[in-house]
């Protein structure tokens, strides 16, 4: 749907819907170009709502007829829905509409993917299926009858009856329409079973296209592990007789938590050692857990309105990160989460798209499925837990489930359970939900007569719509080390509430070395002036794994900064200090692999910009290359040793132990490639029997410019596997030299198998271009131009995916005048497209404002 003038919706305008829905009966008669949807809905006046017109959402629907209590009515139709005069008491509403799933390329509502019918209703897709009050605070039980000739027909809840050409489902749990789902197609299932903690048997299935059955076993085990974990850690039990997961090739997001019928992007559920990397396995495990956990945090307790999105997403991301920490290594997970937060959320919060964890207005809610709502939302939960302690957190969560089960709740409800369970006043803490921007925390130290004083100052820079900021509550985890490296004060959480605040540690025998913000205890930028010597000391001695990693990262950042701004050479003292960690066989290989990665080039650009220096992507790239070459040369004898030590000889398993070894081995291989031009990588590529080893080797060969034969062999081997070919497309653009990134991306778009309407394939090429920092920012503007062209093209078919990808331009004001002008011109070109979608229009408008 195109709006001439998109409406802005405000949190402060919330009004309850004038009616309650007792139950919904849907009959869906499937046909690719003319599906009929018959709805029978019992409405009754909502005593808690002000008087209002009876308005139902509905978009792109052909109304066949409508009736109230059996009498035909003629509602007033608008592009957004319908209005109708209705009785003052309860009534039965009936409509029949026609829709065309085969023509739905937006992948919202009911659509087709490879001959299979499926739905995506979050956030506002149900209104493309039938007329309905499509808002999360309207919750109802659903009974669904599916008619059609596909062998498998699925919906939410439990199956109740079926016959030749039809099947019926009933979901006894009241739910908002965004959790509705329907799937029908020629599918096969990988079955499983689970016995819940109260002894209930649950049937489990992963449904896939024939041929993909062999890629479901890992997902099934991850599902069972998630169900067990949620019982053990949160006391949450599954509540239906059946739990279905379906893999779909064309999907805008990762996966969707529809009640009892989770729909997954096939890339987020299908896995095998030959076709999936260790990182894919870990991601699949996390996403299956995430969607399953939503059954309680999202479905049983849902959001009152879309401004409360973080209520379900922040909490569920936090829960899935706890799960991964328990399944794998908590320290490695924490570092990985912070890398991700800094790469995706910090730029968002420091640019034109900055918004609070709970936004206060939007035009298109699809544009707010952001790193701020999800990842910063999860950080806020982590801080809350750190402040109240584990026991009080558990008590508050029990109260939350007890008090709000069946509710459409708000952030105020969420915080109130913490206040009631702990007696704390969370008024100031609530700012984390309303104030945007990343706080900067600076610190000064003082030592005299055995007393060590840390004085912190916090300041949050202005963000769009929020020029003045108030101080946040910051949990600052601190530990102190003696000059000999022993810890004298173990991790202590300091609670900072003022703009400036001091904390004292007494009875010390010598001036300690402070380890500050352990575990990244608050999502802030820590501005701390410490000597390189002290950072090397923390790198060697800190007992906190995160801060050990951070000390090294800081040294690397400082080194790259000096290389870019002063033409300095690589910091060999850092390289030597790092070597001690890399060599330490007692340390987790996954941790050592993380230590080997340099800060991203985008992170460097952000750091330069923050210090008032205009970042030059080419200079940053050159410095990173020089530094990595220096690391390789300095460790020329260590690298082959490490490669041998990390070799896995056991049968492949994606577990933390084996994948950590492979991660370290592959990080070493990329350095080794700088010395041998790809000889070791070619050998690994030829011998690889799993995707992790094969793909890493291919990546090294591409960066060495020695990839032609391997690329052809890879394509020959995997041309029929769409998910593996997505990797092939992506890697060529992501791993290539900057000057070839845009030309390569363009050449790939000319291939017949560049199916750009498939979001995975589109992102494989265009998303990778944006990730090749210096390539995307090519001085001649070729990267910007190519991406803008494709975003304009995609907008006509799939506005949601196009809009999300617009965020690659979010840092545009950070660069030099030439690049800024080029990016601005492309953004303006997108904005000028006739019939631009509401989604993209809002994004480009915010970027240019
Ligand atoms: Zn979610």
């Amino acid at each position: 749907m195109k709006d001439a003038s998109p409406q802005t919706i405000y949190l402060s305008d919330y009004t309850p819907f004038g009616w309650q829905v007792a139950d919904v009966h849907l009959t869906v008669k499937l046909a690719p170009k003319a599906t009929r949807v018959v709805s029978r809905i019992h409405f009754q006046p909502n005593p808690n709502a002000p008087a209002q017109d009876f308005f139902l959402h509905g978009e792109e629907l052909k109304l066949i007829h409508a009736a109230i209590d059996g009498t035909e009515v003629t509602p007033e139709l608008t592009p957004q829905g319908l209005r109708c005069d209705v009785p003052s008491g309860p009534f039965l509403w009936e409509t029949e509409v026609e829709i065309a799933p085969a023509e739905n390329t937006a992948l919202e509502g009911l659509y087709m993917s490879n001959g299979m019918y499926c739905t995506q209703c979050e956030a506002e897709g149900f209104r493309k299926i039938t007329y309905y009050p499509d808002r999360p605070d309207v919750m109802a039980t659903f009974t669904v009858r599916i008619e059609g000739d596909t062998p498998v027909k699925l919906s939410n809840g439990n199956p109740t009856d079926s016959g030749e050409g039809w099947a019926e489902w009933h979901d006894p749990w009241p739910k908002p329409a965004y959790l509705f789902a329907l799937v029908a197609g020629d599918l096969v299932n990988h079955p499983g079973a689970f016995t819940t903690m109260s002894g209930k048997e649950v049937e489990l299935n992963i449904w896939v296209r024939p041929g993909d059955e062999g890629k479901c076993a890992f997902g099934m085990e991850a599902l069972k592990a998630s169900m067990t974990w949620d019982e053990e850690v949160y006391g949450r039990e599954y509540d239906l007789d059946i739990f279905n997961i379906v893999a779909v090739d064309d999907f805008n997001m990762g996966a969707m938590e529809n009640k009892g019928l989770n729909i997954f992007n096939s890339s987020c559920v299908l896995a095998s050692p030959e076709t999936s990397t260790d990182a894919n396995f870990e991601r699949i495990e996390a996403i299956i857990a995430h969607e399953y956990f939503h059954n309680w945090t999202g479905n049983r307790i849902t959001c009152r309105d879309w401004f409360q999105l973080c209520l379900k997403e922040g909490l569920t991301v936090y829960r899935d990160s706890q799960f991964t920490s328990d399944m794998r290594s908590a320290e490695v997970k924490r570092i990985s989460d912070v890398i991700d937060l800094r790469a995706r959320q910090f730029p968002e919060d420091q640019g034109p798209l900055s918004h609070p964890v709970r936004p206060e207005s939007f035009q298109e809610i699809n544009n707010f499925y952001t790193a701020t709502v999800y990842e910063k939302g999860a950080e806020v939960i982590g801080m809350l837990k750190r402040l109240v302690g584990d026991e009080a957190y558990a008590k508050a969560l029990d109260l939350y489930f007890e008090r709000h089960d069946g509710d459409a709740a708000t952030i105020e409800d969420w915080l109130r359970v913490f206040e009631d369970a702990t007696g704390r006043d969370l008024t100031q803490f609530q700012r984390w939900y309303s104030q945007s921007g990343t706080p900067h925390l600076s610190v000064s130290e003082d030592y005299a007569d055995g007393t060590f004083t840390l004085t912190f100052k916090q300041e949050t820079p202005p963000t769009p719509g929020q020029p003045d900021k108030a101080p946040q509550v910051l949990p600052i985890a601190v530990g102190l080390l003696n000059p000999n490296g022993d810890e004298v004060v173990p991790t202590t959480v300091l609670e900072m509430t003022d703009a400036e605040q001091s904390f004292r540690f007494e009875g010390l025998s010598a001036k300690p070395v402070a380890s500050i913000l352990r575990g990244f205890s608050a999502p802030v930028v820590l501005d701390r002036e410490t000597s390189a010597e002290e950072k090397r000391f923390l790198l060697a001695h800190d007992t906190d794994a995160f801060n050990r990693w951070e000390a090294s990262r800081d040294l690397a950042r400082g080194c790259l900064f000096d290389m870019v701004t002063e033409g300095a050479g690589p910091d060999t003292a850092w390289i030597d200090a790092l070597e001690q960690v890399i060599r330490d066989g007692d340390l987790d290989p996954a941790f050592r692999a993380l230590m080997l990665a340099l800060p991203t080039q985008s992170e460097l650009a952000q750091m330069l910009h923050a210090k008032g220096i205009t970042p030059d992507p080419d200079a940053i790239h050159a410095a990173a290359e020089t530094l990595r070459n220096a690391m390789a040369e300095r460790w020329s004898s260590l690298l082959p040793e490490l490669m041998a030590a990390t070799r896995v000889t056991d049968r492949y398993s994606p577990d933390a132990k084996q994948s950590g070894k492979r991660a370290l081995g592959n990080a070493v291989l990329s350095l080794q490639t700088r010395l041998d031009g790809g000889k070791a990588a070619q050998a690994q590529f030829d011998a690889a029997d799993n995707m992790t080893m094969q793909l890493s080797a291919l990546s090294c060969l591409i960066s060495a410019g020695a990839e032609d034969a391997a690329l052809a062999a890879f394509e020959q081997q995997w041309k029929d596997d769409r998910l593996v070919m997505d990797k092939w497309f992506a890697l060529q653009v992501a791993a290539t030299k900057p000057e070839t990134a845009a030309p390569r991306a363009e050449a790939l778009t000319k291939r017949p198998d560049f199916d750009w309407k498939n979001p995975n394939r589109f992102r494989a090429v265009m998303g990778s271009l944006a990730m090749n920092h210096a390539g995307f920012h090519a001085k001649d503007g070729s990267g910007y131009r190519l991406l803008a062209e494709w975003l304009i093209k995609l907008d006509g078919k799939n506005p949601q995916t196009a809009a999300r990808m617009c965020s690659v331009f979010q840092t545009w004001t950070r660069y030099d005048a030439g690049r800024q002008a080029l990016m601005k011109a492309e953004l303006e070109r997108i904005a000028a497209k006739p019939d631009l979608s509401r989604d993209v229009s809002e994004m480009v408008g915010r970027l240019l404002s």
Side-chain angles (χ1 to χ4, degrees), residues 36-56:
R36 288 285 175 106
V37 180
V38 179
S39 70
R40 299 174 72 239
I41 306 167
H42 284 99
F43 285 103
Q44 60 200 42
N46 180 356
N48 306 316
Q52 57 196 271
D53 285 354
F54 181 75
F55 176 80
L56 299 181

Side-chain angles (χ1 to χ4, degrees), residues 122 255-257 287 290-291 294 297 309 312-314 316-317 320 369 374:
E122 185 176 2
M256 177 63 209
E257 70 262 23
I287 295 181
H290 178 97
E291 306 307 333
H294 268 314
T297 50
L309 182 58
K312 75 177 179 81
E313 293 306 342
T316 307
V317 170
D320 84 51
Y369 284 73
Y374 278 65

Side-chain angles (χ1 to χ4, degrees), residues 643 647 665-666 669 672-673 676-690 692-702 704 706-707 709-710:
M643 280 180 31
R647 202 151 286 143
N666 286 326
L669 180 70
Q672 177 65 29
T673 302
D676 68 12
K679 207 167 144 249
Q682 187 66 53
Q684 177 170 318
F685 183 85
D686 293 338
D689 62 358
N690 63 72
T692 309
M693 298 300 271
Q694 192 179 17
L695 203 67
S696 298
L698 183 61
S699 174
C700 291
L701 290 168
I702 293 171
E707 72 273 37

Side-chain angles (χ1 to χ4, degrees), residues 181-197:
L182 178 155
V183 170
D186 180 12
L187 299 167
V188 290
N189 68 321
H190 177 100
F194 184 79
T195 308
T196 70
M197 60 197 211

Side-chain angles (χ1 to χ4, degrees), residues 116-133:
M116 157 185 171
Y117 294 89
C118 62
T119 56
Q120 170 57 34
C121 292
E122 185 176 2
E124 298 179 335
F126 192 71
R127 62 190 63 184
K128 294 181 169 181
I129 295 175
T130 192
Y131 288 101
Y132 194 74

Side-chain angles (χ1 to χ4, degrees), residues 531-541 551 555 571 573-574 577:
S531 65
E533 198 188 346
E534 186 168 315
K535 286 175 194 163
R536 285 195 298 271
F537 175 87
L538 289 171
L539 169 56
H541 300 292
L555 287 162
D571 175 0
W574 166 64

Side-chain angles (χ1 to χ4, degrees), residues 74-296:
T74 312
E76 176 200 339
L77 300 181
T78 74
Q80 288 82 32
L82 64 74
R83 220 175 291 279
C84 195
D85 290 332
V86 297
S88 56
F91 61 92
L92 172 65
W93 169 263
E94 292 173 276
T95 57
E96 180 165 3
V97 300
E98 189 175 293
I99 52 179
E103 280 150 29
N104 180 350
T105 57
L107 315 183
E108 230 186 351
L110 177 67
Y111 65 95
M112 301 197 75
S113 170
N114 290 320
M116 157 185 171
Y117 294 89
C118 62
T119 56
Q120 170 57 34
C121 292
E122 185 176 2
E124 298 179 335
F126 192 71
R127 62 190 63 184
K128 294 181 169 181
I129 295 175
T130 192
Y131 288 101
Y132 194 74
D134 187 7
R135 39 186 292 166
D137 59 345
V138 174
M139 298 172 83
T141 57
F142 278 65
T143 304
V144 179
R145 179 184 166 93
I146 308 168
E147 297 177 8
D149 52 15
T150 59
V152 175
K153 302 174 197 69
L154 308 171
S155 191
N156 313 94
N158 297 317
T160 45
D161 203 359
S162 62
E164 186 64 35
W166 62 276
E168 256 179 31
W169 292 77
H170 176 69
D171 183 359
W173 298 103
K175 67 167 177 289
Y178 83 85
L179 291 172
F180 169 82
L182 178 155
V183 170
D186 180 12
L187 299 167
V188 290
N189 68 321
H190 177 100
F194 184 79
T195 308
T196 70
M197 60 197 211
S198 71
K200 212 165 59 116
E201 291 296 323
V202 181
E203 177 187 336
L204 310 175
N205 290 297
I206 297 180
W207 295 92
V208 295
R209 291 204 293 165
D212 284 337
E213 305 91 307
K215 295 182 180 176
C216 300
F218 179 80
M220 181 57 77
E221 290 315 305
L223 174 60
K224 291 182 201 168
S226 308
M227 295 175 91
T228 303
W229 187 90
D230 212 16
E231 290 185 348
E232 288 174 354
V233 180
Y234 280 84
R236 300 294 105 202
E237 185 177 6
Y238 187 63
D239 53 6
L240 290 166
D241 305 337
I242 186 167
F243 187 84
N244 286 311
I245 287 176
V246 183
V248 175
D249 290 337
D250 299 284
F251 204 72
N252 281 338
M253 314 208 249
M256 177 63 209
E257 70 262 23
N258 317 295
K259 184 79 186 188
L261 178 55
N262 287 2
I263 299 182
F264 273 63
N265 187 319
S266 50
S267 71
C268 298
V269 57
L270 300 181
S272 74
E274 296 74 29
T275 59
S276 311
T277 62
D278 293 331
N280 294 150
F281 277 102
E282 184 175 337
R283 182 156 183 265
I284 287 167
E285 183 180 80
I287 295 181
I288 286 184
H290 178 97
E291 306 307 333
Y292 174 74
F293 296 159
H294 268 314
N295 190 52
W296 275 93

Side-chain angles (χ1 to χ4, degrees), residues 1-3 6 363-364 367 791 794-796 798-800 802-803 830 833-843:
M1 194 203 60
K2 319 288 180 203
D3 280 335
Q363 290 176 354
E364 173 51 66
N367 289 335
L791 289 178
L794 187 65
D795 179 66
N798 187 337
Q800 207 182 107
I830 298 172
K833 183 208 159 207
D835 287 336
L836 190 68
S837 69
R838 179 174 61 204
D839 307 58
V840 172
S841 161
E842 181 185 23
M843 288 295 278

